[in-house]
Amino acid sequence: MEKNIKFDQPIYVTRPLMPDLEPVMRKLKEVWDTQWLSNGGEQHKNLEAKVRQFLEVPYLSLFNNGTIALMIAVQSLRLQGEVITTPFTFPATTHVLAWNNITPVFCDIDADTLTIDPDQIEALITNRTTAILGVHVYGMPCHVDKIKQIADQHGLRIIYDAAHAFGTKVNGQAIGTFGDISMFSFHPTKLFHTAEGGALTYNDPHLKQRIDLLKNFGIRNEFEVLMPGINGKMNELSAVIGLVVLELVEQERELRRKIRVQYVSELREVPGISFVEMPEGVENSEQYMVIRIDSEKFGATRDEVFLQLREYNVFGRKYFYPLTSDYPCYRQLPSAREELLQNAKIASDEVLCLPFYGKLEEKAVHMICLIIRSMRA
């Protein structure tokens, strides 16, 4: 294809869901009237209640970002020693373990779901293992039943990184109800966002007090500090954004479903292109549009497609490349050896996230698919 027909403006992998300013300003006026900007004001309380209802979870705590939320999840369960996790994820998943002086133990992923492979977990359990940290990659649920069975048998805790899974359900059950704690990210790249933010969901009522203390310096009241906490509180301005954006989430998901159908329709028959598709019974969060590129069948590598799209002003993302196990700070770990992580390595070389957001026009999707198909010519 001719490079002179490239997009005038960059087409990025996603675009934040931006509400109209009028409802935002109305809520900001409420904040200005109270002169309360942080420390659990009315906007924070309202958002916590509404997100808990949306996610259909019994308990929820809001945070200033997902990474701090995940760090406190680890702290709240008093984890130590080793935690078994996946190398096919965003850096924060692994970093929160290191920040808690825990050794990550990398487990390979399922070749189809790209989530942690439960059939390889038990061989990695030692007397130092305290938990399993799984990731619902692209909103694809981990094998939650198998992981629970393993955890129960060995007395381990379960944390899920559900950063991609806002709204995901498994056979009608909300994703945030599985395991001991789940973390949701409300970063602008996510389906639902608060400009920056995150949340923890959990089923145990006793965790609520501990988690909320940990995110507020361990402060119980003006005169009592009960534990060494951190500042993880969401402010009122972020809560305002969240309250307005939450009203738009279902509409955004429906728009993305239509875009997904178009991508699949235009790329389904292309040799070497496959899709990361949800199993039966899973309600898709519609966070990402993901393809895999088999270089032998397609005739070009994922990296070549990635670079060619950029020539046309289209910016996909190689989520997740490189593997976290390949980072200099982790590659010396015994579990980081490439021969132990073959499925993860293959996925990291094949996966490409394509532009995917509600305002992406049909003709833009068609052009992106045309660029990809043209590489086989």
Side-chain angles (χ1 to χ4, degrees):
M1 291 182 62
E2 295 293 332
K3 298 295 190 301
N4 59 7
I5 60 172
K6 70 180 184 179
F7 291 96
D8 293 333
Q9 299 295 324
I11 305 293
Y12 293 111
V13 68
T14 192
R15 184 184 290 177
L17 185 52
M18 299 292 285
D20 292 337
L21 280 175
E22 185 178 343
V24 175
M25 295 304 294
R26 284 200 303 268
K27 287 210 163 289
L28 285 177
K29 176 65 164 53
E30 296 174 13
V31 175
W32 256 245
D33 288 344
T34 64
Q35 299 185 48
W36 193 317
L37 292 176
S38 190
N39 292 349
E42 286 303 311
Q43 308 297 333
H44 179 284
K45 292 175 184 176
N46 290 341
L47 182 64
E48 185 172 281
K50 290 190 175 184
V51 173
R52 183 180 66 80
Q53 183 180 24
F54 186 96
L55 292 178
E56 299 179 18
V57 294
Y59 302 100
L60 179 144
S61 297
L62 294 177
F63 285 84
N64 52 5
N65 63 65
T67 304
I68 294 295
L70 198 54
M71 286 179 63
I72 288 180
V74 173
Q75 277 281 322
S76 70
L77 296 177
R78 299 178 173 90
L79 302 183
Q80 55 187 343
E82 298 175 349
V83 169
I84 297 170
T85 191
T86 171
F88 191 70
T89 185
F90 188 72
T93 311
T94 311
H95 289 347
V96 300
L97 298 176
W99 273 72
N100 279 285
N101 295 315
I102 292 170
T103 301
V105 176
F106 296 111
C107 178
D108 204 3
I109 61 175
D110 181 293
D112 296 320
T113 67
L114 306 185
T115 62
I116 192 168
D117 186 352
D119 294 334
Q120 299 192 46
I121 288 176
E122 283 197 280
L124 298 171
I125 296 173
T126 70
N127 59 5
R128 299 188 69 238
T129 307
T130 54
I132 301 164
L133 172 52
V135 179
H136 303 308
V137 181
Y138 316 129
M140 173 75 71
C142 292
H143 298 276
V144 290
D145 292 335
K146 288 184 178 181
I147 291 173
K148 184 180 188 305
Q149 184 179 13
I150 293 167
D152 288 348
Q153 183 178 346
H154 294 274
L156 305 178
R157 296 290 203 153
I158 304 170
I159 298 178
Y160 286 117
D161 181 334
H164 298 172
F166 194 86
T168 296
K169 293 182 180 179
V170 182
N171 297 320
Q173 183 174 348
I175 197 71
T177 61
F178 294 100
D180 292 287
I181 301 179
S182 294
M183 181 280 294
F184 293 84
S185 170
F186 302 155
H187 187 269
T189 57
K190 302 303 185 288
L191 173 74
F192 168 73
H193 72 89
T194 59
E196 272 281 12
L200 295 180
T201 64
Y202 39 93
N203 302 320
D204 183 353
H206 300 293
L207 275 174
K208 177 66 174 171
Q209 181 181 22
R210 179 167 172 79
I211 286 172
D212 286 349
L213 281 169
L214 284 168
K215 77 172 185 179
N216 188 31
F217 306 102
I219 297 172
R220 181 159 74 178
N221 57 48
E222 186 178 357
F223 305 107
E224 292 181 281
V225 178
L226 301 184
M227 60 187 67
I230 197 170
N231 186 4
K233 303 184 300 294
M234 177 181 287
N235 65 64
E236 291 291 272
L237 304 184
S238 290
V240 161
I241 298 296
L243 284 165
V244 181
V245 170
L246 189 61
E247 299 296 323
L248 306 175
V249 164
E250 287 299 353
Q251 179 185 13
E252 174 71 10
R253 290 177 76 191
E254 185 57 37
L255 290 171
R256 292 185 183 202
R257 288 187 189 103
K258 294 177 182 178
I259 293 169
R260 181 181 299 280
V261 169
Q262 184 184 353
Y263 269 123
V264 172
S265 175
E266 297 206 28
L267 295 176
R268 171 73 76 184
E269 303 303 322
V270 179
I273 299 289
S274 61
F275 302 89
V276 178
E277 297 180 297
M278 297 294 159
E280 186 176 351
V282 173
E283 185 175 333
N284 196 336
S285 65
E286 303 297 346
Q287 174 61 53
Y288 288 115
M289 178 65 221
V290 188
I291 63 172
R292 298 185 68 169
I293 301 171
D294 182 324
S295 58
E296 291 188 7
K297 295 178 181 178
F298 181 71
T301 66
R302 184 278 312 279
D303 287 354
E304 288 171 331
V305 175
F306 171 78
L307 293 174
Q308 178 78 340
L309 285 169
R310 290 199 165 198
E311 291 291 321
Y312 290 90
N313 227 2
V314 178
F315 295 83
R317 291 297 295 268
K318 297 189 282 186
Y319 289 141
F320 293 98
Y321 175 88
L323 300 174
T324 59
S325 54
D326 287 336
Y327 300 166
C329 47
Y330 302 121
R331 67 167 64 126
Q332 81 286 355
L333 294 171
S335 63
R337 299 202 310 272
E338 185 174 312
E339 64 268 24
L340 302 177
L341 306 170
Q342 286 298 300
N343 289 336
K345 176 60 177 173
I346 292 170
S348 73
D349 288 338
E350 290 186 350
V351 164
L352 183 63
C353 292
L354 298 177
F356 193 54
Y357 48 89
K359 290 188 176 180
L360 186 63
E361 296 180 356
E362 182 179 338
K363 61 183 180 181
V365 175
H366 175 69
M367 176 65 95
I368 292 165
C369 293
L370 192 61
I371 296 167
I372 294 172
R373 293 200 309 268
S374 73
M375 293 191 68
R376 296 201 75 255

